[in-house]
Amino acid sequence: MRGKVVVIGAGIGGLTAGALLAHRGYQVLMLDQALVPGGCASTFKRKGFTFDVGATQVAGLEPGGIHHRIFSELEIDLPAATPCDPACAVFLPGETEPINVWRDPQKWQAERQRQFPGSEPFWQLLANLFKYSWAFQSRDPVLPPRNLWDLWQLIKAVRADTTLTLPFTFLTVGDALRLYGLGDNQRLRTFLDLQLKLYSQVNAQETALLYAATALGVSQEPQGLYHLKGSMQVLSDRLVESLERDRGKLLMRHTVEAIYTQNDKATRVRIRNQKTGEVWTEFADHVVANVTVQNLVQLLQAGEQENIVGAGFTDDFTTQTDNLTKPAPVGDSANRGELSLSKILFGGYKHRVEKLPPASGAFVVYLGVEQSAIPSGCPPHLQFLYDYDGPIGENNSLFVSVSHPGDGRAPEGKATITASSFTDTQIWSQCADYDKLKREFTEEAIARLSQYFHLTPETILHVEAATPRTFARYTARDQGIVGGIGQRVSTFGPFGFANRTPIKDLWLVGDSTHPGEGTAGVSYSALTVVRQIENW
């Protein structure tokens, strides 16, 4: 074995990192507090229906795409999938004809020219930036670099055309719209707000232009978004099979409560078995955290506080494992190193995390319905905005995913509808009557959906809803936030959070790191960490 790696979190990012490391000969232990792997890309079943928890579409399955590359290395088959075409049908307030984001580039060009006359120079800018950025990204740069090896990977990925993107590094989509005289185009700006909020967590005014070019361009051929047959769970299942085939170990219903450090290095984690209450520590050469950056700080803080107290572990830990070694008392060189670490962690890194703008939560309604509730020719993914003056979220906008006959999500003659809206997590954590608020949101969402779908007491067979409190409970993400930290200029690419943390041998994967949210994005972050560990 080439070393022991503990992976915290069995979301797609953690599963990808763990499976790749096990395949390359590392001893991998993966831990997750949930019932099933997959994180926000997992599923649950009710009354014969299979619902995707959060993520409902996948990018990177095409030859050369990130999932295609990873599955080829792991020597496992890609799951069956169909391209989403259109990738999304967007309905603006008061309009019955959607803006269809077609997969065919020429068809999409004709659509946007018809929908947004005079905007083509803006779209051509995005297309060019996407072409240069995608070529750069395909050469596996490490962003942001944190040592000489990272910097060398970044330099090797640069070509002459990469430099053409440099003048746009500090621009947002809002800046580009004004540059082309489109800042007052309400329909175009609203369409971009809807799409970018979905992919970058912030609106057009705030989204980094280079990120937007990729997010808005990836749905066209030869790339594309895909609808998996069965459910999103098949992606996780394939990765788990690979992990276990290569002698990696996955423990569900096990919570990591703290990460311990010594001499500025991550050395071990504290684990709790949720079923039995057993608590023990596990030593590792590397710790890979598939968590939010907020959760990472909390885990480090938990370990640091115990070290400062002086014991590091309670007496309950002393008999749980043969690998256990109590840390030295406060005052020795090891703990002086850990106190030095706290200055780094709770100084720069923790301060930056605390200063991040609030991240979004999600309210999701899951409906099991008769197939007759679905209009003929309904696309697999739709977006609705109901009022120009209202916020994007709180049920004023909905992103909707619909199952198709034979895709494995519903019994014959039936279908699933999953509708989500962005929401402020504080509304749910501070509400006086949680059940009432949840019921009101559910009723409002169904009323909104009934404007397009044929929803009646007879066609609705199952109703369930999830809030930020639900996501916090089942995914352990801080406050139930979803989708990462927001792809603003200050947090995108070279200015974002690195996979290398300030703690040696502690790595961060997931949607808090480059290149952002989505199964393709978190898988890329996992591949980057594996490469960094290999060259450690």
Side-chain angles (χ1 to χ4, degrees):
M1 286 292 180
R2 305 177 62 184
K4 183 174 182 178
V5 182
V6 169
V7 181
I8 307 171
I12 297 299
L15 287 169
T16 300
L20 287 170
L21 288 167
H23 194 65
R24 298 186 185 198
Y26 291 84
Q27 181 185 356
V28 176
L29 172 63
M30 186 176 300
L31 305 143
D32 196 291
Q33 57 87 46
L35 290 168
V36 295
C40 289
S42 62
T43 60
F44 65 94
K45 298 180 184 295
R46 298 286 190 274
K47 300 179 181 178
F49 296 99
T50 299
F51 296 100
D52 294 321
V53 167
T56 57
Q57 55 191 16
V58 179
L61 296 182
E62 72 281 350
I66 187 65
H67 289 307
H68 189 278
R69 291 175 56 192
I70 289 169
F71 277 51
S72 295
E73 175 177 338
L74 295 175
E75 300 176 300
I76 54 177
D77 294 330
L78 283 167
T82 56
C84 297
D85 196 18
C88 195
V90 181
F91 290 83
L92 297 181
E95 300 184 14
T96 57
E97 179 188 357
I99 303 165
N100 289 303
V101 183
W102 300 107
R103 187 165 185 246
D104 179 270
Q106 285 71 43
K107 197 173 178 181
W108 167 229
Q109 182 181 41
E111 175 81 5
R112 69 192 185 225
Q113 288 178 348
R114 181 174 65 87
Q115 295 281 357
F116 312 112
S119 67
E120 191 55 28
F122 166 78
W123 291 105
Q124 286 302 315
L125 171 66
L126 290 184
N128 289 333
L129 293 177
F130 171 72
K131 179 173 67 174
Y132 305 142
S133 298
W134 191 260
F136 169 70
Q137 191 67 41
S138 68
R139 294 187 283 270
D140 294 341
V142 175
L143 286 170
R146 287 293 182 265
N147 68 4
L148 290 177
W149 186 85
D150 292 355
L151 183 60
W152 178 235
Q153 305 313 302
L154 176 59
I155 292 171
K156 288 195 302 181
V158 173
R159 300 290 186 275
D161 60 7
T162 311
T163 62
L164 298 175
T165 66
L166 294 180
F168 305 95
T169 301
F170 296 98
L171 296 184
T172 68
V173 176
D175 294 329
L177 287 173
R178 288 186 288 275
L179 179 67
Y180 285 97
L182 299 168
D184 295 328
N185 189 322
Q186 185 183 45
R187 286 189 77 252
L188 175 58
R189 191 181 66 248
T190 302
F191 169 79
L192 292 169
D193 282 344
L194 279 169
Q195 287 280 281
L196 292 172
K197 182 71 172 178
L198 184 63
Y199 298 126
S200 72
Q201 304 299 304
V202 290
N203 61 21
Q205 180 59 34
E206 295 185 81
T207 300
L209 181 60
L210 294 181
Y211 180 86
T214 299
L216 296 172
V218 76
S219 56
Q220 274 76 59
E221 292 176 316
Q223 291 78 39
L225 301 177
Y226 295 85
H227 183 75
L228 295 182
K229 185 174 182 179
S231 71
M232 289 294 294
Q233 194 70 46
V234 299
L235 199 64
S236 303
D237 291 344
R238 300 284 171 93
L239 292 169
V240 170
E241 290 171 9
S242 174
L243 171 74
E244 294 178 341
R245 177 202 64 196
D246 293 325
R247 304 180 68 181
K249 188 174 183 180
L250 170 62
L251 296 178
M252 303 303 298
R253 302 295 290 164
H254 283 71
T255 301
V256 175
E257 297 181 329
I259 298 172
Y260 298 103
T261 63
Q262 189 167 345
N263 297 328
D264 295 349
K265 179 187 183 305
T267 57
R268 55 198 181 272
V269 298
R270 185 178 83 223
I271 303 164
R272 181 180 299 274
N273 184 325
Q274 294 182 13
K275 295 180 180 178
T276 66
E278 178 187 14
V279 179
W280 75 97
T281 61
E282 196 76 40
F283 286 79
D285 299 296
H286 299 273
V287 177
V288 176
N290 180 202
V291 300
T292 69
V293 70
Q294 293 89 347
N295 286 108
L296 180 63
V297 167
Q298 293 165 11
L299 289 170
L300 283 164
Q301 186 172 4
E304 183 71 2
Q305 287 174 340
E306 291 183 14
N307 286 332
I308 291 173
V309 167
F313 310 96
T314 69
D315 291 340
D316 293 339
F317 305 163
T318 57
T319 59
Q320 298 299 340
T321 175
D322 293 335
N323 292 331
L324 179 63
T325 302
K326 266 195 172 184
V330 169
D332 76 349
S333 60
N335 275 297
R336 282 198 298 271
E338 289 170 341
L339 289 173
S340 172
L341 162 65
S342 69
K343 294 179 182 179
I344 298 172
L345 173 62
F346 301 118
Y349 201 77
K350 181 173 180 286
H351 178 74
R352 187 183 181 194
V353 172
E354 289 175 341
K355 292 299 182 182
L356 287 171
S360 294
F363 175 79
V364 188
V365 173
Y366 308 97
L367 301 178
V369 300
E370 297 285 358
Q371 185 64 46
S372 60
I374 311 299
S376 177
C378 178
H381 302 287
L382 311 95
Q383 267 188 304
F384 298 93
L385 181 67
Y386 298 102
D387 183 355
Y388 275 115
D389 295 328
I392 296 180
E394 311 304 346
N395 279 346
N396 185 48
S397 67
L398 291 172
F399 174 67
V400 183
S401 296
V402 183
S403 67
H404 281 186
D407 70 1
R409 288 170 172 79
E412 185 176 355
K414 297 174 175 56
T416 63
I417 300 173
T418 302
S420 61
S421 62
F422 290 98
T423 186
D424 184 350
T425 59
Q426 297 302 308
I427 292 175
W428 300 93
S429 62
Q430 299 175 3
C431 64
D433 191 333
Y434 173 74
D435 292 334
K436 180 183 178 183
L437 183 63
K438 186 176 180 181
R439 184 171 60 254
E440 290 173 348
F441 265 64
T442 301
E443 291 171 353
E444 178 67 18
I446 293 175
R448 297 287 199 187
L449 292 169
S450 297
Q451 298 174 26
Y452 181 83
F453 298 96
H454 308 307
L455 299 180
T456 67
E458 291 73 32
T459 60
I460 298 177
L461 306 176
H462 179 72
V463 179
E464 194 161 342
T467 74
R469 285 170 60 166
T470 315
F471 282 94
R473 177 182 177 187
Y474 288 103
T475 70
R477 291 174 67 94
D478 181 58
Q479 300 181 61
I481 60 176
V482 296
I485 57 178
Q487 296 298 322
R488 301 170 176 86
V489 170
S490 61
T491 50
F492 166 66
F495 314 112
F497 284 90
N499 299 109
R500 294 183 193 270
T501 71
I503 317 305
K504 185 179 179 183
D505 303 331
L506 175 62
W507 312 88
L508 179 66
V509 302
D511 54 18
S512 291
T513 63
H514 179 77
E517 71 164 288
T519 57
V522 299
S523 296
Y524 183 89
S525 75
L527 178 60
T528 300
V529 163
V530 171
R531 293 172 59 223
Q532 289 172 317
I533 291 175
E534 285 275 74
N535 289 275
W536 166 67

